[in-house]
Amino acid sequence: MSFNNLRLIEPILAALSKEGYTTPTPVQQQSIPQILEGRDLLGCAQTGTGKTAAFTIPVLQLMHQHLNHHSGRRRIQTLILTPTRELAIQIGESIKAYGHFLPFKHQVIYGGVSQVPQVQAIRQGVDILVATPGRLMDLMKQNVLHLNDIKYFILDEADRMLDMGFVQDVKRIIAKLPAKKQTLFFSATMPAEIMQLANMLLNNPVKVDVTPVSSTIEAIQQQIYYVDKINKLKLLVHLLKDESIQTMLVFIQMKHHADKLERQLNYYGIPTEAIHGNKVQSARQRALENFKNRKIRVLVATDIAARGIDIDDLSHVLNYDLPNVPETYVHRIGRTGRAGARGIAISFCDWSEKSFLSDIQKLIKKTIPVLKGHPFENSQMHFEPVKAGQGSSNGGMQNGNRNAGRLGSRRGRVFSQA
Ligand code: AMP
């Protein structure tokens, strides 16, 4: 299958060939023809699958087909709502790339920076608006813009909107949209509240599901290192002696731990920066640029700050802490191994994190290999503890039933793999 089979117009085919794309990804193959037919769409796909192009390309084509040269001033016809500034910027870059030979103007708006240039650009007229919910609400309240002319509405990363507490804002924005429009709804997971929102918003949608969780991470080599918490820094410094590790994105749970690890690695002579929610947008953007340009080798990030980070050739992801929500593990390691490239995902695991590891392995339906014999290994962790009240005569049964009583409530959050 090539892009030529998708009945795309010449200016878009030319832009794709300029980008070096030849083959549409599965989400693109499944979504583009349906969107071009005018259908609403419910897409279960996460960052890294090519979903941005899957909605941007057909919407640009539809806009071009309905282009009215005599309509005077530009009106916002397309609204793309996305949870983070980083994602908004990346979507803006995609529109610029795929729409290179088309006459549309787009503007990206997000909070944490001055609104003045954003407002000026909107006043000059735009066709496509990419926005985070908070800034969009602000500008609507100030009457800088209205959404009466929207024909195409894309809600990106709906589940993250929920995680980040934006759902009420999103609902308020939806209430301002015209009833007649084409809606494309993307989410990596489909918890009940997101399904409700989708049902409310979508009109007889086509469903596209390209994220059976385990298959997205098949290309990634995963490894566990059993290590006590106090030895994690030493182990990381030891691993980074390997110069073949050119870039490493390190995930850490707490903001102040991110700052501390940044200081510690720099002390060891490893150029590092940290990004998290307390850093101003310009500092986060700068750190990301420095990482992409290889001015720093390690980027330490909390989950929220790392959302949607798009780095094409990231070789290593490290879970300095294991996440307690197993889907977060999949989101994190999905940052590497993009577009078929080989990625390595390393996870440090101490005693307190062993139950998180077992939840993760249940979700991805695979046992992650444990790397033995490293200098900071806690070799005791290779054995399961014998719990009080369980005699050794239980034998192998004890492991099999270990998690029997654990809450399984999170299982319902992902689409089934059927
Ligand atoms: P996304 O899932 O939208 O964040 O896209 C992930 C990455 O894949 C981005 O860096 C895109 O530029 C890239 N990409 C998207 N579609 C294709 C394609 N058909 N061929 C090659 N790369 C692509």
Side-chain angles (χ1 to χ4, degrees):
M1 158 80 81
S2 101
F3 279 108
N4 292 320
N5 305 116
L6 291 177
R7 289 196 279 141
L8 297 173
I9 51 175
E10 198 43 50
I12 291 182
L13 287 173
L16 292 174
S17 114
K18 189 165 170 282
E19 287 299 299
Y21 295 1
T22 51
T23 313
T25 65
V27 68
Q28 293 162 4
Q29 289 180 24
Q30 292 174 49
S31 308
I32 292 175
Q34 304 282 358
I35 299 171
L36 288 176
E37 289 293 317
R39 296 283 304 267
D40 278 6
L41 185 127
L42 177 61
C44 188
Q46 62 189 53
T47 301
T49 56
K51 72 175 161 65
T52 314
F55 62 74
T56 309
I57 290 169
V59 166
L60 283 168
Q61 176 148 333
L62 288 169
M63 288 174 67
H64 186 68
Q65 283 164 351
H66 298 119
L67 191 64
N68 180 350
H69 290 284
H70 307 290
S71 62
R73 205 169 170 279
R74 290 174 193 272
R75 289 165 296 131
I76 305 171
Q77 297 174 53
T78 298
L79 172 65
I80 303 171
L81 259 193
T82 191
T84 68
R85 311 163 223 209
E86 287 79 8
L87 277 167
I89 292 169
Q90 280 160 21
I91 293 170
E93 282 165 3
S94 298
I95 297 170
K96 193 169 161 202
Y98 313 138
H100 186 78
F101 300 110
L102 292 171
F104 302 116
K105 273 184 77 178
H106 73 278
Q107 178 62 32
V108 181
I109 63 170
Y110 48 83
V113 294
S114 159
Q115 69 169 48
V116 176
Q118 300 177 359
V119 171
Q120 274 169 353
I122 290 168
R123 293 221 158 106
Q124 281 164 18
V126 297
D127 305 287
I128 305 170
L129 188 66
V130 185
T132 55
R135 179 54 58 99
L136 178 60
M137 291 285 286
D138 282 351
L139 297 192
M140 280 162 65
K141 276 183 202 143
Q142 297 169 42
N143 283 326
V144 172
L145 60 94
H146 64 75
L147 303 176
N148 303 347
D149 299 311
I150 295 294
K151 290 201 189 108
Y152 309 99
F153 172 52
I154 297 103
L155 185 60
D156 185 36
E157 308 240 343
D159 54 347
R160 305 258 167 102
M161 296 279 194
L162 181 70
D163 290 348
M164 295 173 77
F166 292 153
V167 163
Q168 286 316 319
D169 277 352
V170 170
K171 287 184 179 162
R172 281 184 205 114
I173 292 164
I174 290 171
K176 302 278 182 202
L177 295 168
K180 190 168 174 301
K181 62 186 172 298
Q182 185 176 357
T183 304
L184 316 174
F185 188 110
F186 286 88
S187 196
T189 59
M190 293 285 167
E193 205 172 340
I194 289 304
M195 280 310 292
Q196 269 168 15
L197 189 65
N199 290 337
M200 180 188 97
L201 193 59
L202 297 168
N203 190 2
N204 185 24
V206 185
K207 296 192 179 82
V208 170
D209 180 359
V210 293
T211 330
V213 168
S214 52
S215 76
T216 58
I217 53 175
E218 255 157 30
I220 302 166
Q221 187 188 328
Q222 302 171 61
Q223 291 168 349
I224 299 288
Y225 283 68
Y226 284 154
V227 55
D228 288 330
K229 198 171 259 160
I230 51 159
N231 286 326
K232 285 186 175 182
L233 174 66
K234 288 186 206 143
L235 176 57
L236 176 53
V237 173
H238 171 75
L239 291 180
L240 287 168
K241 285 186 187 144
D242 176 355
E243 285 173 6
S244 71
I245 304 180
Q246 294 186 345
T247 50
M248 184 184 264
L249 178 60
V250 176
F251 283 96
I252 202 158
Q253 297 282 80
M254 317 259 273
K255 294 173 200 170
H256 64 278
H257 288 171
D259 285 333
K260 188 168 163 200
L261 188 58
E262 175 187 16
R263 282 195 302 276
Q264 287 168 325
L265 289 176
N266 281 310
Y267 172 81
Y268 279 101
I270 300 160
T272 302
E273 286 188 59
I275 55 172
H276 54 68
N278 286 1
K279 293 220 164 174
V280 294
Q281 172 63 11
S282 54
R284 285 159 62 171
Q285 226 23 67
R286 205 167 44 240
L288 199 55
E289 284 307 312
N290 287 342
F291 189 57
K292 284 186 181 174
N293 301 332
R294 306 270 167 100
K295 284 193 186 137
I296 53 169
R297 190 169 166 217
V298 177
L299 185 68
V300 182
T302 56
D303 290 303
I304 299 244
R307 274 177 183 169
I309 285 184
D310 183 15
I311 303 157
D312 278 341
D313 52 356
L314 175 62
S315 63
H316 289 73
V317 167
L318 171 73
N319 292 300
Y320 198 81
D321 305 316
L322 276 179
N324 56 359
V325 175
E327 285 85 358
T328 303
Y329 174 83
V330 178
H331 284 306
R332 286 179 175 186
I333 74 166
R335 305 273 161 248
T336 181
R338 288 289 176 84
R342 197 168 161 72
I344 297 180
I346 300 168
S347 300
F348 290 173
C349 175
D350 78 357
W351 270 117
S352 68
E353 294 166 312
K354 264 197 114 175
S355 65
F356 302 159
L357 177 59
S358 85
D359 281 352
I360 290 165
Q361 297 190 137
K362 268 199 251 165
L363 176 72
I364 64 173
K365 297 196 170 66
K366 122 176 208 181
T367 306
I368 307 171
V370 178
L371 198 125
K372 291 189 178 166
H374 63 83
F376 301 98
E377 182 176 21
N378 178 339
S379 47
Q380 293 298 313
M381 283 179 61
H382 293 289
F383 303 100
E384 293 298 329
V386 177
K387 286 182 191 158
Q390 286 177 324
S392 57
S393 59
N394 269 355
M397 285 301 292
Q398 152 194 333
N399 285 350
N401 289 333
R402 191 162 47 92
N403 286 315
R406 292 179 67 83
L407 285 174
S409 59
R410 287 192 298 264
R411 291 287 83 79
R413 289 192 55 215
V414 272
F415 265 178
S416 79
Q417 310 214 1

